[in-house]
Amino acid sequence: MLLETEVLDAVLARFAPSTAEKFIQEVFWRGYFKGWLEHHPSVWTSYRDDVSGLLERLNADDELRQRYDQAVQSKTGIVCFDAWAHELVETGYLHNHTRMWFASIWIFTLQLPWQLGADFFYRHLIDGDPASNTLSWRWVGGLHTKGKTYLARPNNIEKFTKDRFAPHGQLAAHAPPLSEATAHSRQAIGRADTTLPGDTVALLLTEEDGRPEELFSDLQPIAGISLLATEGRSSLPIGERASAFALAAVSDATQRASRHFGIVVDAPVETDDWDAKLTAFAQANGVKSLVTAYAPVGPVAEKLAKAKDSLARHGISLFERRREYDELAWPHASRGFFALKKKIPAILEDLQRSVAPRLL
Ligand SMILES: Cc1cc2nc3c(=O)[nH]c(=O)nc-3n(C[C@H](O)[C@H](O)[C@H](O)COP(=O)(O)OP(=O)(O)OC[C@H]3O[C@@H](n4cnc5c(N)ncnc54)[C@H](O)[C@@H]3O)c2cc1C
């Protein structure tokens, strides 16, 4: 499990910022999308509602069902697209450029709803992320940068797949921007806890942050629990690769936390009922305070929001700590990427001061 700060640190130890500029910007895209969705959480809730509605429609609309099945079962007849759908399911991964082509063909050639494509990716990608995935699909469809779409062109595919695929005459030649009825207003970023309780605490590990020993290095938790929300990605089954990856990642974090803090951390379990699990865990360990990494918009945050209320009724508080990198990047991620890009040098300097001596 790597932190963005460690990736930046390693790169800047070897290259001048000007040489590594493009790569550094790629790393900041992740934080940009996460921060943007924090500012616009209704994009996530409408996406969730739309997917539910569309999955119901699939049961009633045979024509849509047939086209959808062909797309996710590698049977469209567009050889490159079918190969990528297969690769995604088999490996849990696609290269960024392939993701762009795939999403573009899904939306503009196959004319399928973008939300169902995002759901297909999110269920199968091992790096499936509510922000990067949902917002990248919206970006391809022209909903993120209003009016700007991404068109997959046969020549571009032929060139960058080194002639493996050449879908001439098979792809849409135009990519008219999608539109939506909902206007998504900008909000203040969700609150994180800056002060943590002085009393005895226990740790909650989730798939949102795999480095508890680093995030909570100043605390001495007495026990830990790890919960998974991977199935919360969709009401359809989650890909085996994605589930296995999330489980392995959280198991790894669990073992590291256990070694680092010298405590028992329960092996990860997937459960719908975080409220009951967390209450029973806190009570069994006699703690009134649980600490966890701040969960940005997504399934884990949904579970935490619900559990918080129920824990409070039992006199148990849940504290969420946010990473310095996110604190610095997210405020600049409420509009286009350019606004954040401009701030990267200043953010790197701030990180050097606050996260030093580890960074830079
Ligand atoms: C339709 C679509 C869906 C996507 N879904 C996801 C997703 O669910 N989860 C996800 O993490 N990324 C997603 N991406 C972004 C991007 O494809 C992946 O981050 C990238 O492929 C990761 O490959 P890498 O680790 O080799 O990154 P590199 O290209 O080597 O980049 C280094 C790191 O920078 C970050 N990064 C690079 N490019 C992007 C980008 N465009 N957006 C966000 N972060 C980036 C990642 O953390 C990555 O590990 C999506 C892109 C598209 C077009």
Side-chain angles (χ1 to χ4, degrees):
M1 296 291 108
L2 292 175
L3 298 169
E4 284 120 318
T5 43
E6 289 170 321
V7 176
L8 296 170
D9 190 16
V11 169
L12 289 168
R14 290 188 55 195
F15 301 101
S18 55
T19 314
E21 191 182 15
K22 190 77 189 108
F23 180 77
I24 291 170
Q25 285 167 10
E26 296 303 317
V27 174
F28 271 90
W29 267 102
R30 180 175 185 279
Y32 165 70
F33 279 139
K34 294 227 87 63
W36 196 93
L37 197 56
E38 287 295 295
H39 282 101
H40 303 85
S42 66
V43 168
W44 173 251
T45 41
S46 340
Y47 158 75
R48 297 285 252 185
D49 292 345
D50 290 349
V51 172
S52 301
L54 284 162
L55 292 179
E56 268 175 39
R57 210 178 116 199
L58 284 181
N59 293 328
D61 182 339
D62 288 345
E63 191 267 341
L64 181 65
R65 156 65 68 186
Q66 196 189 1
R67 290 193 298 117
Y68 171 79
D69 283 348
Q70 283 171 348
V72 298
Q73 294 169 7
S74 303
K75 290 179 182 156
T76 63
I78 302 172
V79 178
C80 57
F81 184 92
D82 291 344
W84 296 327
H86 181 75
E87 185 180 336
L88 172 66
V89 173
E90 287 301 306
T91 68
Y93 187 79
L94 290 176
H95 184 273
N96 180 58
H97 206 159
T98 310
R99 294 182 201 200
M100 288 160 56
W101 290 326
F102 188 99
S104 178
I105 297 172
W106 180 286
I107 296 170
F108 300 114
T109 300
L110 302 175
Q111 308 224 335
L112 285 163
W114 71 266
Q115 299 92 329
L116 289 180
D119 175 73
F120 180 51
F121 264 29
Y122 192 33
R123 286 188 291 117
H124 288 284
L125 281 173
I126 57 174
D127 62 358
D129 178 72
S132 291
N133 186 53
T134 316
L135 300 180
S136 293
W137 274 86
R138 289 172 59 84
W139 178 83
V140 170
L143 293 168
H144 186 73
T145 311
K146 291 276 173 289
K148 188 177 176 298
T149 55
Y150 177 77
L151 179 66
R153 295 177 195 275
N155 283 342
N156 185 267
I157 294 174
E158 191 173 17
K159 177 175 170 195
F160 287 102
T161 61
K162 297 204 166 93
D163 298 331
R164 183 176 167 212
F165 300 116
H168 294 286
Q170 286 192 295
L171 308 186
H174 303 284
L178 303 177
S179 58
E180 62 188 346
T182 328
H184 300 289
S185 59
R186 195 169 51 232
Q187 299 185 9
I189 293 175
R191 199 178 61 82
D193 295 294
T194 44
T195 49
L196 293 186
D199 57 352
T200 314
V201 298
L203 267 186
L204 163 62
L205 306 188
T206 73
E207 60 220 78
E208 283 292 356
D209 193 297
R211 291 293 295 280
E213 72 279 32
E214 196 269 348
L215 183 60
F216 300 112
S217 58
D218 55 329
L219 301 181
Q220 291 178 326
I222 61 154
I225 182 170
S226 35
L227 298 179
L228 288 167
T230 323
E231 280 169 22
R233 289 185 186 195
S234 174
S235 56
L236 289 182
I238 308 305
E240 278 173 31
R241 292 279 183 173
S243 294
F245 185 85
L247 175 63
V250 180
S251 302
D252 178 52
T254 300
Q255 286 161 20
R256 270 183 285 106
S258 176
R259 274 199 305 276
H260 179 85
F261 296 111
I263 56 173
V264 174
V265 185
D266 298 343
V269 283
E270 171 94 42
T271 170
D272 238 3
D273 196 352
W274 285 35
D275 316 15
K277 269 270 177 212
L278 289 174
T279 308
F281 163 74
Q283 287 173 342
N285 286 283
V287 293
K288 291 279 178 208
S289 306
L290 300 176
V291 293
T292 195
Y294 179 85
V297 172
V300 172
E302 286 166 0
K303 296 265 196 268
L304 289 183
K306 199 165 149 281
K308 244 181 183 169
D309 293 341
S310 150
L311 286 166
R313 283 195 291 279
H314 291 90
I316 304 160
S317 308
L318 178 67
F319 294 85
E320 291 185 63
R321 178 178 273 186
R322 193 146 60 208
R323 289 190 177 275
E324 186 65 13
Y325 177 89
D326 299 331
E327 289 288 351
L328 291 169
W330 289 359
H332 307 294
S334 66
R335 295 167 191 270
F337 181 70
F338 186 69
L340 173 62
K341 192 166 104 175
K342 274 197 316 205
K343 296 283 175 192
I344 292 176
I347 294 173
L348 290 176
E349 262 184 44
D350 280 348
L351 283 170
Q352 191 168 14
R353 267 193 293 276
S354 59
V355 191
R358 237 190 15 269
L359 187 82
L360 313 180

